[in-house]
Amino acid sequence: MDDLRPSSGVAAGLAPLFPPGLQAIYGECRRLYPDQANPLQVTAIVKYWLGGPDPLDYISMYRNVGCPAQDVLEHWHYISLGLSDLYGDNRVHEFTGPEGPSGFGFELTFRLKREAGETAPPTWPAELMQGLARYVFQSENTFCSGDHISWHSPLDNSESRIQHMLLTEDPQMQPVQTPFGHVNFLQIVGVCAEELQAAQQWNGQGILDLLRGLHVAGGPWLITDMRRGETIFEIDPHLQDRVDKGIETDGSNLSGVSAKCVWDDLSRPPEDEDDSRSICIGSQPRRLSDKGKDTEQIREALRKGLEINSKSVLPPISSQRQSHDQPQSRKDSLESESSAAIVPHELVRTRQLESVHLKFNQESGTLLPLCLRGRLLHGRHFTYKSINGDTAITFVSTGVEGAFATEEHPYAAHGPWLQILLTEEFVEQMLRDLQDLGSHDEIKLPKEYSWPDKKLKISVLPDCVFDSPLQ
């Protein structure tokens, strides 16, 4: 449970032993808001380190007058305290010294358009930030600028079209150096489903730049307006052309998603006892190539299945640490940690398969064109990691180094990890056959696609199939 009170009460109560991490962030807030020394603050009544449910100790809420010269609207500015190390005594975060990140290395911020007549900030963004913080603490996955988060629900529980989020650097908050490490400030930006999909197909930074260019969609400081009823593509249809050209030129930065998926080996009966999808534990993984720029992405993609706010979601699996305008090598690679994440045993042999059947729910299936066009045609890989178990499906192109699937044996499994190597010619054929998955028309399920000459079958099935204990 949270409590709403001026922050002066918190500061006064802790004055003799004012936590240095907290003090450093308050100092940055005072730089921005010198006339708001005691902002309203949502406070976790029972702190996380005392067994409470909310990881953020405090969320400060400021009134920002905007910047008329830059056409920036007046808005509410929310700033979290708790993802970084506030105390330095190991009560929440392990203290590792001042050189690295403090705690998770960042705090969240959010800018919400102030409605006419509003005299106090709405408090629902505080619960949204607590939900994201719970995900970070439970999964130990951190966020980076350019990441996107599928939420599948209006952020304020209204009827709004703003149902998903992108993350970017806060335009005003400067990184802070504390005695316990450095802290960056990542701003949450509310977006529509169509904008999230575009970020998945291209990259988050590209869509953020488009949002900055439209006053009604966020403007330079990316202020979220929960009453925005049009997507950026409805406001300016030419923006879709910019996204399409970006995908064609850059490909997609999204290397994998958590998904409802499963794969079956059609080249042998399922009761075969020699099922290498069983996991053995205890030995060192085999070594794959450690070259390439996406190894961090594939490692993260295979390391965790993600779930936010008790909803099955398809968030970014990895931190997009590259700048979106940096060229990426056509040579991509997988490395040993990828296989270790799923099958940490050298003795689980890699098995070549003659024929495979891939099954996805609708949300995962609609990302197949992205996987093929945005990743494989650019010499990269894309992974579906099951949220229901250890199963993973990685599509690789012929340009990926270190893959155990080859052109001679394009379907190969190592434990529950299936790799599928697709030639450029086959990718083009699949894109033509899967065109309906990329449209906005409703798809009648189940839907089946088959390439008998390639011995590959893909089914798109209702969610309930994957929720069954038999699956």
Side-chain angles (χ1 to χ4, degrees):
M1 182 180 291
D2 294 327
D3 186 24
L4 184 64
R5 63 180 66 182
S7 61
S8 57
V10 174
L14 295 177
L17 296 171
F18 200 70
L22 194 62
Q23 189 174 30
I25 296 173
Y26 277 160
E28 176 61 12
C29 294
R30 283 193 297 272
R31 182 188 68 81
L32 276 187
Y33 302 104
D35 57 340
Q36 298 181 58
N38 302 314
L40 280 177
Q41 199 168 54
V42 175
T43 302
I45 293 177
V46 180
K47 299 295 185 281
Y48 195 68
W49 36 276
L50 293 175
D54 298 321
L56 301 176
D57 282 7
Y58 314 107
I59 296 151
S60 294
M61 302 178 289
Y62 295 89
R63 183 168 176 169
N64 191 305
V65 297
C67 181
Q70 296 184 43
D71 201 22
V72 175
L73 298 169
E74 187 172 353
H75 59 278
W76 304 110
H77 193 195
Y78 301 77
I79 301 167
S80 77
L81 299 114
L83 284 161
S84 63
D85 191 350
L86 305 179
Y87 306 99
D89 57 6
N90 296 310
R91 73 178 73 180
V92 180
H93 301 280
E94 182 182 356
F95 175 56
T96 56
E99 302 302 321
S102 169
F104 289 106
F106 69 95
E107 294 288 354
L108 293 170
T109 74
F110 182 61
R111 296 175 185 267
L112 178 67
K113 180 184 175 183
R114 178 178 171 266
E115 300 295 341
E118 271 185 343
T119 58
T123 57
W124 63 261
E127 182 51 41
L128 180 73
M129 296 167 90
Q130 290 285 16
L132 291 174
R134 278 190 288 271
Y135 158 71
V136 172
F137 272 82
Q138 290 166 10
S139 70
E140 297 184 355
N141 282 328
T142 58
F143 293 134
C144 285
S145 179
D147 282 352
H148 50 273
I149 301 167
S150 303
W151 197 251
H152 299 286
S153 179
L155 304 188
D156 61 352
N157 294 315
S158 68
E159 299 299 317
S160 174
R161 290 185 72 177
I162 308 299
Q163 302 188 8
H164 307 280
M165 291 166 272
L166 300 179
L167 293 172
T168 188
E169 295 94 350
D170 188 288
Q172 288 187 294
M173 300 286 287
Q174 298 297 316
V176 169
Q177 181 64 44
T178 82
F180 316 132
H182 56 77
V183 182
N184 296 316
F185 295 91
L186 286 180
Q187 180 175 317
I188 300 163
V189 181
V191 295
C192 304
E194 295 83 352
E195 294 153 2
L196 173 83
Q197 186 179 32
Q200 291 175 327
Q201 293 174 343
W202 184 21
N203 60 64
Q205 296 290 4
I207 301 304
L208 287 164
D209 286 343
L210 298 184
L211 290 164
R212 287 187 184 97
L214 291 174
H215 170 77
V216 295
W221 292 5
L222 294 169
I223 298 163
T224 298
D225 179 2
M226 294 304 296
R227 296 189 180 184
R228 174 161 68 95
E230 293 181 301
T231 72
I232 59 173
F233 307 111
E234 292 165 342
I235 296 167
D236 183 354
H238 294 100
L239 295 183
Q240 186 61 57
D241 294 334
R242 290 177 60 180
V243 172
D244 293 340
K245 288 177 182 175
I247 296 170
E248 184 179 347
T249 303
D250 307 329
S252 172
N253 277 2
L254 185 67
S255 67
V257 292
S258 328
K260 291 187 176 181
C261 64
V262 71
W263 61 269
D264 291 328
D265 178 5
L266 298 182
S267 48
R268 69 173 188 191
E271 64 272 11
D272 190 331
E273 291 183 0
D274 182 26
D275 186 355
S276 66
R277 282 189 283 174
S278 61
I279 300 179
C280 304
I281 299 175
S283 294
Q284 293 299 312
R286 62 195 192 84
R287 172 63 55 179
L288 300 178
S289 167
D290 59 0
K291 300 176 183 176
K293 295 186 177 181
D294 263 357
T295 53
E296 177 69 17
Q297 290 188 332
I298 192 67
R299 180 166 65 245
E300 290 295 315
L302 295 174
R303 189 166 66 88
K304 290 193 182 291
L306 307 185
E307 206 167 284
I308 296 182
N309 201 26
S310 301
K311 301 180 179 71
S312 297
V313 297
L314 295 172
I317 294 295
S318 65
S319 310
Q320 296 169 0
R321 291 179 172 84
Q322 285 181 246
S323 170
H324 70 284
D325 46 29
Q326 276 185 321
Q328 181 158 4
S329 169
R330 285 281 298 179
K331 288 273 188 176
D332 212 359
S333 67
L334 306 174
E335 68 170 7
S336 62
E337 286 87 346
S338 342
S339 59
I342 294 182
V343 189
H345 200 290
E346 193 175 35
L347 300 180
V348 176
R349 62 187 177 87
T350 299
R351 182 162 52 88
Q352 283 79 41
L353 314 179
E354 292 296 320
S355 178
V356 295
H357 184 189
L358 313 181
K359 301 174 186 177
F360 302 97
N361 75 334
Q362 183 171 349
E363 187 175 10
S364 305
T366 56
L367 291 177
L368 282 168
L370 154 69
C371 160
L372 300 173
R373 181 179 291 110
R375 296 294 296 179
L376 269 67
L377 286 183
H378 290 262
R380 304 174 191 169
H381 54 73
F382 189 89
T383 294
Y384 288 93
K385 170 70 177 71
S386 173
I387 63 173
N388 295 329
D390 295 305
T391 298
I393 301 167
T394 296
F395 292 90
V396 299
S397 66
T398 51
V400 174
E401 297 180 355
F404 47 76
T406 64
E407 288 193 57
E408 184 181 1
H409 299 288
Y411 312 132
H414 193 73
W417 182 17
L418 174 68
Q419 283 188 12
I420 297 178
L421 187 144
L422 302 176
T423 63
E424 187 170 334
E425 180 183 6
F426 188 23
V427 168
E428 297 282 9
Q429 179 186 344
M430 291 179 69
L431 281 169
R432 290 191 295 270
D433 296 337
L434 297 171
Q435 273 186 339
D436 55 338
L437 288 179
S439 73
H440 295 293
D441 299 331
E442 188 172 344
I443 301 171
K444 292 184 178 180
L445 302 182
K447 185 82 174 178
E448 188 170 292
Y449 306 87
S450 183
W451 297 269
D453 58 321
K454 301 292 187 180
K455 297 183 180 180
L456 174 64
K457 185 161 67 171
I458 294 177
S459 295
V460 182
L461 305 170
D463 276 19
C464 60
V465 173
F466 300 90
D467 297 334
S468 165
L470 297 177
Q471 195 66 42

